[in-house]
């Protein structure tokens, strides 16, 4: 079993990895195991409190994606980067072909010339991967009303 991870908050900002400054974006925050949190004598809370100004630790899963102190333009820029990364990941290109081609396979059972069953891998063709990528993209755009 893995130990639960915690984020540190101070003045409604997350502490960055390696204790290198602060951010209002959870994905850019550091995460530490409870054993380290306790050794640092930081109080552990079970609820996000944007008004609490002193340092405290909060389980990662209870922390908001963005704190209230996060600058609005930084939050938007972060979300735009995530959208661009998603769009790149589901758009067929040389980069995505390199990343995905040969990654997906299933086992096929066949009978060999001696009458024995054999299992062998069958790789999903790139054209099928592109069709799956297109379907994911259409579904995502439809779900947000952008199609």
């Amino acid at each position: 079993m893995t130990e639960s991870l915690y984020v540190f908050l101070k003045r409604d900002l997350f502490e960055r990895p390696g204790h290198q400054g602060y951010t209002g974006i959870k994905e850019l925050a550091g995460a530490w195991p409870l054993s380290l949190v306790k050794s640092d004598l930081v109080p552990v809370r079970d609820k996000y409190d944007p008004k609490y100004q002193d340092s405290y630790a909060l389980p990662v899963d209870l922390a908001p994606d963005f704190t209230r102190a996060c600058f609005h333009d930084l939050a938007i820029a972060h979300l735009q980067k995530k959208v661009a990364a998603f769009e790149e990941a589901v758009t067929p290109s040389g980069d995505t072909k390199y990343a995905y081609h040969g990654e997906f396979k299933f086992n096929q059972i066949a009978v060999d010339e001696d009458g024995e069953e054999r299992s062998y891998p069958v790789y999903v063709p790139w054209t099928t991967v592109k069709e799956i990528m297109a379907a994911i993209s259409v579904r995502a755009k439809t779900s947000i009303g952008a199609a």
Side-chain angles (χ1 to χ4, degrees), residues 100-106 122-129 132:
Y100 304 141
H101 192 58
E103 289 294 312
F104 307 103
K105 63 183 176 182
F106 57 92
V122 176
Y123 289 90
V124 176
W126 173 240
T127 54
T128 303
V129 173
I132 293 168

Side-chain angles (χ1 to χ4, degrees), residues 30-138:
W32 292 269
L34 183 58
S35 57
L36 183 70
V37 170
K38 287 182 176 180
S39 71
D40 283 352
L41 302 175
V42 176
V44 176
R45 303 191 78 170
D46 61 359
K47 184 178 178 186
Y48 168 66
D49 184 359
K51 294 180 182 177
Y52 191 76
Q53 294 297 300
D54 291 332
S55 295
Y56 69 99
L58 186 68
V60 170
D61 59 333
L62 297 180
D65 291 332
F66 301 95
T67 64
R68 289 188 187 165
C70 182
F71 290 124
H72 187 70
D73 59 333
L74 295 178
I76 289 172
H78 180 73
L79 291 172
Q80 287 173 332
K81 284 182 190 176
K82 287 179 70 170
V83 169
F86 170 78
E87 287 177 347
E88 187 276 330
V90 297
T91 301
S93 68
D95 289 338
T96 54
K97 183 174 184 177
Y98 178 77
Y100 304 141
H101 192 58
E103 289 294 312
F104 307 103
K105 63 183 176 182
F106 57 92
N107 287 326
Q108 180 71 42
I109 308 260
V111 178
D112 66 14
E113 61 274 356
D114 297 327
E116 293 186 29
E117 281 191 359
R118 282 187 61 167
S119 175
Y120 61 94
V122 176
Y123 289 90
V124 176
W126 173 240
T127 54
T128 303
V129 173
K130 289 193 300 185
E131 290 170 0
I132 293 168
M133 292 167 68
I136 291 169
S137 183
V138 166

